[in-house]
Amino acid sequence: MAAQAAAAAQAAAAAQAAAAQAAQAEAAESWYLALLGFAEHFRTSSPPKIRLCVHCLQAVFPFKPPQRIEARTHLQLGSVLYHHTKNSEQARSHLEKAWLISQQIPQFEDVKFEAASLLSELYCQENSVDAAKPLLRKAIQISQQTPYWHCRLLFQLAQLHTLEKDLVSACDLLGVGAEYARVVGSEYTRALFLLSKGMLLLMERKLQEVHPLLTLCGQIVENWQGNPIQKESLRVFFLVLQVTHYLDAGQVKSVKPCLKQLQQCIQTISTLHDDEILPSNPADLFHWLPKEHMCVLVYLVTVMHSMQAGYLEKAQKYTDKALMQLEKLKMLDCSPILSSFQVILLEHIIMCRLVTGHKATALQEISQVCQLCQQSPRLFSNHAAQLHTLLGLYCVSVNCMDNAEAQFTTALRLTNHQELWAFIVTNLASVYIREGNRHQEVLYSLLERINPDHSFPVSSHCLRAAAFYVRGLFSFFQGRYNEAKRFLRETLKMSNAEDLNRLTACSLVLLGHIFYVLGNHRESNNMVVPAMQLASKIPDMSVQLWSSALLRDLNKACGNAMDAHEAAQMHQNFSQQLLQDHIEACSLPEHNLITMAHPLCSSKLRMDPTPAWPAFCEACVPNLDPTLELSGNKTTRVPTSPSPLSRAKS
């Protein structure tokens, strides 16, 4: 009996102890939940009361909470301080503690890996990349049993290598991620990894590796059955890569079927409702871009195609739509990719303005791009060469050739990107051609380096056609007319093959000019009339000015007084419009930008110009025309409006 009584007493004591512990845990949970609730209330207030939120979270620690609560609270504090304040030192301290403590707690993956992810972001923001890399590598190593976090951390480290221009390491990591996604049964995330790798291979110009990879991606995308929005977003990613690949190669006509599919795809996505049901496979918990961002991106590649093809009114229309959409998105979203989209769109609208005779507006938009780039180190780095190139093209359009030379030379020093280099050299050569005999030795050297008959440095169809045009222009100024005609016919052949309308118009009008000089008025008229029609359709003010001058003199020579008078009136109208715009542009304070030959957007020369995403989004819209006014047997240069090549890439 005594033994039974002792056992009963022990059981009662144990029950009391358990009850006391439960009560204590309940009390601890109640104070913790109360503080957490207050913190969340202050964080989500309008406007947010971040200081009070931080005070509530800090109040957790005096209670000596269990390790799980301690680690989670450090993570929450680090996250709030990182996202809502400039106190990076305290944010780093809390995140480091969260990472350290969480590694000692089993089954605590979400806190552990979120702390690692945020901490590495913070290290990168502080330019401590050497601290971020080993942290991510360790997190990747210990996260293999957690598919979502393993894939997310692989993406993050690949992005870090991409920002460092180490595309080989980034591609290797994306390949590892694709294989891991296949093993865990996530074809959706496998496609994301492969498409991301394809994007980087396009940036590296490794086309032999890109083609089989894109073919595999296409098969995976078509065969995958899952969330309709996820499937369509994969298709958009795939088609964006295809379209920009064609545009980068200057194949404006060949890209049309893919571009049409892309536009249809984004229309399909816009009609789909977001599915709130989470995927059953945690490795599928990713998306490429929000559909609102995808809409802007499709506008962007449409603009690039229109610019390259010479449909400038269409390009301007879609640029306006995209910029309006961006302004709405930026009110709610501070994603850096939106700023990249905005800069690239502005670069394209600047091209429109220069070509259509609105130099003053173009100059103000160049200034706007400068201001946007000054707000972001990444934009600073990625768009310096493009900005100096645009300024050089503006200088050419207002006949400030010395300034144009300085801007192009600066742009060349800021880039090793082959296509941009070839475009700048092509434009610089056109400046030297116009300047006569001042730079003969340098000019011959440049022309040899972009010789389209031999080892042309890039594979772009558009740039090679433009190089033929520049050779024809040089031969024309040298009086070697038969040679000039050969080069220009090659340009026409290439531009007609891919619907490069602006190059076609420029080549036709220069051929017409050559035939006029040779006295073959009939053949000259056969060239100039379609050039004028095409230039009016684009519309290209400088080619219209040039064509109207030729038509005026042709009709005079043929005795067609009424046609000559009509052409002279057209020429007068174009001249007045261009002159008025010229005066307005030169009177703006932004015109002083042309004298700044030092890097506008970087204090350090850019030695590796491979742009940030969307790096492969590049438009080639070359037109290097020497607008000439004919007066008897003399040729006099008049203000020109060349079309620039924008190297975009966010």
Side-chain angles (χ1 to χ4, degrees):
M1 292 291 292
Q4 290 178 349
Q10 286 178 353
Q16 287 178 349
Q21 286 179 351
Q24 186 179 3
E26 186 177 346
E29 185 177 339
S30 63
W31 63 255
Y32 173 63
L33 292 176
L35 287 171
L36 202 60
F38 278 124
E40 183 65 6
H41 167 73
F42 291 130
R43 188 186 70 84
T44 57
S45 297
S46 184
K49 299 174 182 177
I50 299 302
R51 179 175 293 181
L52 294 175
C53 171
V54 169
H55 285 332
C56 289
L57 291 172
Q58 288 174 331
V60 170
F61 298 122
F63 286 91
K64 305 294 182 185
Q67 274 194 322
R68 283 177 176 269
I69 291 178
E70 183 183 3
R72 189 180 297 278
T73 305
H74 279 301
L75 172 61
Q76 290 163 337
L77 271 166
S79 178
V80 168
L81 291 167
Y82 174 61
H83 289 114
H84 298 282
T85 76
K86 295 181 179 180
N87 196 337
S88 59
E89 188 175 342
Q90 281 195 28
R92 183 176 65 252
S93 174
H94 283 294
L95 291 172
E96 286 173 343
K97 288 175 182 175
W99 167 240
L100 183 64
I101 297 169
S102 61
Q103 291 180 74
Q104 304 166 19
I105 305 172
Q107 306 299 317
F108 208 42
E109 280 75 12
D110 281 352
V111 169
K112 183 191 310 178
F113 298 127
E114 188 172 348
S117 178
L118 270 178
L119 185 55
S120 67
E121 280 185 34
L122 180 56
Y123 284 152
C124 291
Q125 191 181 77
E126 296 177 335
N127 295 319
S128 301
V129 176
D130 290 339
K133 287 183 193 173
L135 170 63
L136 285 173
R137 290 193 191 103
K138 181 173 182 181
I140 288 168
Q141 184 180 0
I142 62 178
S143 65
Q144 295 189 33
Q145 302 305 314
T146 314
Y148 166 74
W149 278 109
H150 190 66
C151 292
R152 177 170 162 177
L153 293 165
L154 281 167
F155 275 125
Q156 190 170 347
L157 184 54
Q159 173 71 2
L160 177 54
H161 283 298
T162 302
L163 294 177
E164 284 199 307
K165 316 300 182 188
D166 183 3
L167 301 188
V168 174
S169 297
C171 283
D172 289 344
L173 282 165
L174 293 170
V176 169
E179 178 59 21
Y180 177 84
R182 185 191 68 79
V183 169
V184 298
S186 175
E187 287 296 287
Y188 168 75
T189 301
R190 181 188 178 203
L192 278 181
F193 275 113
L194 290 174
L195 288 167
S196 300
K197 183 177 179 180
M199 181 175 70
L200 299 188
L201 291 173
L202 283 173
M203 289 167 63
E204 288 192 286
R205 302 297 186 267
K206 293 185 176 179
L207 303 185
Q208 291 184 345
E209 296 180 46
V210 169
H211 295 150
L213 184 65
L214 288 183
T215 301
L216 174 61
C217 288
Q219 294 170 354
I220 294 173
V221 171
E222 290 307 313
N223 294 333
W224 185 71
Q225 301 298 321
N227 183 304
I229 287 185
Q230 285 184 312
K231 184 178 179 69
E232 291 303 311
S233 71
L234 285 178
R235 188 176 280 124
V236 169
F237 196 172
F238 172 70
L239 289 169
V240 164
L241 292 184
Q242 284 200 313
V243 169
T244 50
H245 178 37
Y246 277 116
L247 292 179
D248 194 42
Q251 297 175 338
V252 176
K253 185 176 182 180
S254 304
V255 77
K256 287 182 179 179
C258 288
L259 182 59
K260 187 174 181 181
Q261 286 182 57
L262 177 60
Q263 291 164 341
Q264 290 171 343
C265 192
I266 201 65
Q267 288 178 348
T268 301
I269 284 185
S270 63
T271 63
L272 295 174
H273 297 289
D274 290 329
D275 192 348
E276 297 297 330
I277 301 174
L278 292 177
S280 57
N281 190 336
D284 286 344
L285 290 168
F286 296 95
H287 65 274
W288 175 48
L289 286 175
K291 64 181 180 181
E292 296 82 7
H293 293 196
M294 283 189 271
C295 289
V296 175
L297 180 58
V298 174
Y299 278 138
L300 174 56
V301 294
T302 303
V303 166
M304 292 164 56
H305 174 262
S306 300
M307 284 298 307
Q308 196 163 331
Y311 305 131
L312 300 193
E313 289 182 345
K314 183 178 179 182
Q316 190 161 335
K317 169 186 165 185
Y318 282 106
T319 300
D320 291 341
K321 284 186 175 182
L323 287 173
M324 190 180 303
Q325 181 77 4
L326 273 172
E327 287 303 318
K328 293 177 182 176
L329 289 173
K330 288 182 81 172
M331 286 191 241
L332 305 170
D333 187 348
C334 59
S335 173
I337 200 171
L338 296 180
S339 295
S340 295
F341 287 165
Q342 186 177 5
V343 167
I344 296 167
L345 284 162
L346 283 170
E347 287 173 351
H348 282 78
I349 201 68
I350 288 163
M351 292 193 287
C352 281
R353 312 289 193 206
L354 288 172
V355 173
T356 57
H358 299 92
K359 294 184 281 290
T361 308
L363 183 58
Q364 291 171 324
E365 287 165 341
I366 289 174
S367 177
Q368 186 181 349
V369 173
C370 287
Q371 292 168 12
L372 283 168
C373 288
Q374 287 167 359
Q375 297 169 14
S376 164
R378 190 181 304 174
L379 289 176
F380 244 57
S381 170
N382 291 330
H383 290 269
Q386 291 92 319
L387 270 170
H388 283 285
T389 303
L390 288 173
L391 271 172
L393 292 159
Y394 166 77
C395 292
V396 173
S397 75
V398 292
N399 280 331
C400 297
M401 295 301 175
D402 289 342
N403 298 110
E405 179 188 356
Q407 294 295 338
F408 288 140
T409 303
T410 301
L412 282 175
R413 290 192 295 115
L414 291 169
T415 185
N416 287 333
H417 192 272
Q418 286 189 324
E419 279 77 7
L420 180 54
W421 179 90
F423 175 75
I424 298 167
V425 168
T426 305
N427 276 277
L428 186 56
S430 75
V431 169
Y432 290 154
I433 289 169
R434 287 164 165 174
E435 291 291 275
N437 296 321
R438 286 179 53 195
H439 307 280
Q440 284 296 303
E441 188 175 336
V442 178
L443 175 59
Y444 280 111
S445 173
L446 291 179
L447 290 175
E448 188 57 37
R449 296 175 78 179
I450 53 167
N451 189 340
D453 280 326
H454 300 299
S455 54
F456 193 63
V458 294
S459 59
S460 170
H461 182 94
C462 186
L463 279 173
R464 187 163 177 264
F468 274 116
Y469 178 84
V470 171
R471 299 287 295 204
L473 179 64
F474 178 61
S475 299
F476 167 74
F477 272 98
Q478 295 287 310
R480 301 195 300 269
Y481 299 126
N482 286 334
E483 184 180 84
K485 285 190 287 184
R486 181 181 78 81
F487 285 128
L488 292 171
R489 283 170 177 150
E490 194 64 37
T491 303
L492 277 176
K493 177 182 173 183
M494 294 185 71
S495 57
N496 285 333
E498 286 294 343
D499 290 346
L500 304 172
N501 291 327
R502 298 200 54 241
L503 269 176
T504 299
C506 292
S507 302
L508 285 171
V509 73
L510 184 50
L511 276 169
H513 196 144
I514 291 169
F515 284 119
Y516 176 81
V517 171
L518 293 174
N520 189 340
H521 295 167
R522 180 177 177 181
E523 195 64 31
S524 177
N525 191 70
N526 289 341
M527 299 288 114
V528 177
V529 169
M532 184 66 164
Q533 292 170 343
L534 197 51
S536 302
K537 181 181 175 183
I538 289 169
D540 186 322
M541 284 289 288
S542 59
V543 176
Q544 287 177 290
L545 179 71
W546 191 0
S547 300
S548 60
L550 278 167
L551 286 172
R552 178 198 62 199
D553 291 348
L554 273 170
N555 284 299
K556 274 185 186 177
C558 296
N560 301 325
M562 290 193 63
D563 290 341
H565 176 75
E566 183 181 345
Q569 189 61 51
M570 280 195 301
H571 182 265
Q572 179 67 17
N573 291 340
F574 293 136
S575 296
Q576 286 299 318
Q577 289 178 51
L578 284 170
L579 182 60
Q580 192 172 13
D581 181 52
H582 181 104
I583 293 169
E584 183 183 352
C586 293
S587 65
L588 290 171
E590 290 87 351
H591 184 73
N592 292 326
L593 285 171
I594 71 172
T595 63
M596 298 175 64
H598 59 80
L600 287 173
C601 291
S602 177
S603 59
K604 183 179 179 182
L605 289 186
R606 178 179 170 196
M607 301 309 296
D608 183 356
T610 307
W613 195 93
F616 46 86
C617 299
E618 300 170 344
C620 313
V621 197
N623 170 20
L624 312 163
D625 53 290
T627 302
L628 302 175
E629 179 179 359
L630 302 182
S631 178
N633 294 322
K634 295 195 301 179
T635 59
T636 308
R637 291 180 211 159
V638 298
T640 63
S641 178
S643 77
L645 165 69
S646 169
R647 309 311 296 181
K649 307 102 48 0
S650 92

